[in-house]
Amino acid sequence: MADAARLPEKPEHYHRLIDFLADWNFNALLFRLTDDQGSALRWQSHPELITHRHALRPEQMREIVRHGVSRGVELIPEIESFGHSMYITDAPQHADLSDKDPQGLQSFGGMIPVHPRTLRIMHDLYREAAGIFPSRYLHAGCDEVNWGGSALSREALAHKSRTQIWAELLNSLNDIARSFGKELIVWGDHVLHHDPAIAEQLNKDIIIHDWQYAVSDPSAVEKDARRALDHGLRVIGGPAMMWCKWGPRPGSAQLENMDAFAEAYRNIDHPKVLGVLVTWWVPTRLLPNSIFDAIAYTAVGLNEGAPAAQSTALRQFVERHYGATWNETWADIFQTIYDRAPVQPGCALPWMKPTLPVPWASDEQLQQFLQRPPQAPPALARVQRQLAEVEPRVRTNRDDFRAFRLSIDCLAHLFERNARLLSELNQLAKNESAAAAFARDQANRDAQMRDRLIENWNAARPAYDGPPDDPRGLAPGDTLLDQLDRATRYSAHLADHPAAFLRLLKSATLR
């Protein structure tokens, strides 16, 4: 899956991704065109929609699709059609379609399912997508929806159940998709898990994409797939390679999640089981071309089974993609970075460790950091030494290796930044010149890392010129580069104002 809706990347990047997928025997790529953050495609039928400034033009998207066809990779468009629809409802012309209670806040939103203009807009977008994507499938999204707050929805709910309105909307979307020769896919969280009665009322042409990102038991995955089959529906598995739980690198738990789906879906011999589409979210957190190893692991698991992935996938990746000889050093590198991948605050469970540091970029953030108990950093210094050791023997795709190494260097920088300050805190709080020197040194270190990240960013993405390409301003908190850019400017500010830095440090030592 390419989450272009959160960050459109250069067409060349998608061509490269397609080539990698083809080389590793993938045959489909789910291309997310829309989300709350905006649209990654410039719609000719609705130019008023919230659109990324670097969104793809239709002719660029067609060329990406053609490249996929030439490599045997089918590109499936995803157009959010119920929830995750602020790309529509934040446009002034369509603000009245937002289905939330004006008296309260909701973590997710949605469009009014009973408003006639909702289906008219989706008709237009489906028609336009059908002219670009020759795939037989169209993904309608429809996950994580909160709805029912609008006056129009409340009136409808007085006469019909939520289940009935859900099913009627999805069936109507299916009718639209079929009118353009497409088979509709929808996410399975609501229709298979939250309200399974919806599935009973669905047209049996609809395909359920069963996403579950924390499960590691193949029998549980298989049980849910068979529930969809029992409803007479087709089903696609949906593990995650990356999602909001992680920072720049996925952890071992995600390999286990993909293993579970690989084993479960390989075990079901049924014509209505269509396979597995692995999801890959929040590209704003990732360094381009740095996690090809995880894609390769997924490929081996889906094609050969989880035991083969566990025993040979990373070795195959090192030998095939880097042209290097596998040895114990490589094995230890991957074991460490997967087992100790830091989790993202606010998405992972509180007890999960280590936590990805948010680089302090304001007085408030610095004070909050100094008030928290320190956490032990993962063993990244050893991995950095090992990467330096193996780099001379990397013969192919060296830029990808450097991106992989940079992802580890960046993580090490974030942990080291905190550890240095804590280790020197008592001494720095006594001496303004020492505090100024520390801040200046930290600003230089931050700037060096930021510049390396910008170089990596610009190689695959539209040039970085400040906050990321997000017309709604939602992404900066999820963008590692933007966080470090702000942190660099803040550490330089502290160096220019050492007396203020000293006061902050003293307040921490007095607690």
Side-chain angles (χ1 to χ4, degrees):
M1 186 189 82
D3 191 6
R6 286 195 171 95
L7 180 66
E9 308 193 57
K10 292 179 181 178
E12 296 81 4
H13 172 79
Y14 297 120
H15 284 248
R16 176 82 195 289
L17 175 60
I18 288 168
D19 288 339
F20 187 89
L21 295 176
D23 290 344
W24 286 85
N25 298 319
F26 286 94
N27 62 4
L29 173 63
L30 180 62
F31 206 97
R32 298 194 70 246
L33 296 172
T34 62
D35 204 326
D36 285 337
Q37 287 78 6
S39 174
L41 179 67
R42 297 188 182 281
W43 300 98
Q44 294 180 327
S45 59
H46 285 278
E48 77 280 4
L49 301 185
I50 304 300
T51 304
H52 292 279
R53 71 178 184 272
H54 294 300
L56 297 164
R57 300 187 303 275
E59 59 269 26
Q60 290 176 310
M61 192 70 249
R62 288 189 181 93
E63 182 55 37
I64 294 169
V65 170
R66 283 194 291 268
H67 186 68
V69 171
S70 72
R71 295 304 313 272
V73 178
E74 179 178 0
L75 269 70
I76 302 170
E78 184 192 345
I79 303 171
E80 290 291 348
S81 308
F82 193 3
H84 290 271
S85 52
M86 293 183 196
Y87 73 100
I88 295 174
T89 59
D90 272 16
Q93 298 92 322
H94 306 302
D96 61 320
L97 293 180
S98 180
D99 196 7
K100 59 184 178 182
D101 188 339
Q103 303 303 316
L105 299 175
Q106 301 179 41
S107 57
F108 298 105
M111 290 189 292
I112 300 173
V114 295
H115 198 299
R117 201 162 79 254
T118 293
L119 290 179
R120 287 202 295 269
I121 292 174
M122 301 324 301
H123 179 279
D124 294 342
L125 300 186
Y126 286 15
R127 173 176 50 80
E128 194 167 342
I132 297 174
F133 293 82
S135 170
R136 63 189 285 191
Y137 303 109
L138 188 150
H139 204 305
C142 300
D143 64 317
E144 298 179 326
V145 188
N146 281 324
W147 66 278
S150 68
L152 198 58
S153 286
R154 290 198 300 270
E155 181 182 353
L157 287 166
H159 305 284
K160 296 180 180 180
S161 69
R162 293 181 69 86
T163 299
Q164 186 176 358
I165 293 174
W166 254 103
E168 289 177 354
L169 174 67
L170 297 187
N171 287 334
S172 294
L173 293 172
N174 182 59
D175 290 341
I176 295 171
R178 290 189 67 80
S179 74
F180 298 116
K182 303 299 182 183
E183 300 177 39
L184 196 75
I185 305 171
V186 298
W187 297 112
D189 52 333
H190 287 282
V191 302
L192 195 59
H193 298 283
H194 301 332
D195 186 0
I198 298 172
E200 298 174 4
Q201 301 182 33
L202 290 185
N203 186 302
K204 302 313 175 188
D205 293 332
I206 294 175
I207 302 163
I208 306 302
H209 191 177
D210 183 24
W211 66 275
Q212 300 182 71
Y213 302 157
V215 64
S216 59
D217 180 1
S219 64
V221 173
E222 182 175 343
K223 180 180 178 181
D224 288 328
R226 293 191 181 278
R227 285 174 53 218
L229 297 176
D230 290 342
H231 288 296
L233 298 163
R234 290 175 291 172
V235 64
I236 297 171
M241 188 180 73
M242 289 292 294
W243 61 298
C244 74
K245 176 180 176 180
W246 305 105
R249 295 283 316 179
S252 296
Q254 286 321 120
L255 302 187
E256 295 169 3
N257 178 239
M258 292 187 290
D259 287 345
F261 273 85
E263 288 302 283
Y265 276 72
R266 286 169 60 84
N267 190 51
I268 307 175
D269 183 14
H270 196 290
K272 290 192 174 183
V273 172
L274 302 187
V276 174
L277 276 171
V278 181
T279 58
W280 173 2
W281 304 96
V282 285
T284 50
R285 296 182 187 175
L286 306 180
L287 279 64
N289 303 327
S290 66
I291 57 170
F292 279 135
D293 53 287
I295 304 177
Y297 184 97
T298 305
V300 175
L302 295 178
N303 285 290
E304 303 176 33
Q310 294 161 8
S311 60
T312 71
L314 295 174
R315 176 173 185 160
Q316 289 186 51
F317 171 76
V318 167
E319 293 173 347
R320 288 178 55 183
H321 196 69
Y322 291 152
T325 300
W326 179 263
N327 56 28
E328 290 301 318
T329 301
W330 280 108
D332 189 60
I333 288 170
F334 284 111
Q335 183 76 43
T336 303
I337 62 175
Y338 277 105
D339 285 351
R340 299 296 293 163
V343 298
Q344 189 82 6
C347 189
L349 296 174
W351 55 265
M352 293 179 176
K353 298 290 186 264
T355 301
L356 182 69
V358 176
W360 26 272
S362 66
D363 290 354
E364 181 182 11
Q365 286 185 333
L366 179 57
Q367 288 174 320
Q368 290 175 350
F369 162 69
L370 293 173
Q371 291 169 6
R372 297 192 200 103
Q375 66 168 325
L380 295 178
R382 186 185 77 249
V383 174
Q384 288 178 292
R385 292 192 297 269
Q386 291 171 322
L387 289 170
E389 176 187 333
V390 300
E391 182 167 12
R393 294 187 286 278
V394 172
R395 297 193 300 273
T396 56
N397 296 302
R398 290 181 61 85
D399 286 344
D400 295 344
F401 175 82
R402 282 189 282 269
F404 170 51
R405 184 176 177 182
L406 177 58
S407 69
I408 307 305
D409 288 345
C410 183
L411 288 173
H413 174 81
L414 296 178
F415 282 101
E416 182 186 65
R417 193 174 190 267
N418 289 348
R420 287 182 65 241
L421 180 56
L422 291 179
S423 67
E424 300 179 36
L425 177 60
N426 290 331
Q427 292 301 316
L428 296 177
K430 299 176 183 178
N431 188 302
E432 183 174 316
S433 61
F438 177 92
R440 181 61 60 195
D441 180 61
Q442 188 59 57
N444 290 335
R445 293 172 183 242
D446 289 341
Q448 291 174 10
M449 180 55 62
R450 177 201 59 194
D451 292 346
R452 292 177 64 192
L453 293 180
I454 289 175
E455 181 181 6
N456 169 267
W457 177 288
N458 290 347
R461 296 165 173 167
Y464 180 82
D465 57 1
D469 178 20
D470 181 348
R472 301 192 59 256
L474 296 181
D478 268 340
T479 306
L480 186 59
L481 173 54
D482 189 56
Q483 289 180 347
L484 194 54
D485 186 23
R486 286 180 281 127
T488 300
R489 286 184 269 114
Y490 179 66
S491 51
H493 165 79
L494 293 178
D496 292 337
H497 299 85
F501 185 30
L502 189 65
R503 284 195 298 272
L504 291 169
L505 297 176
K506 283 183 176 180
S507 66
T509 59
L510 292 175
R511 289 187 177 88

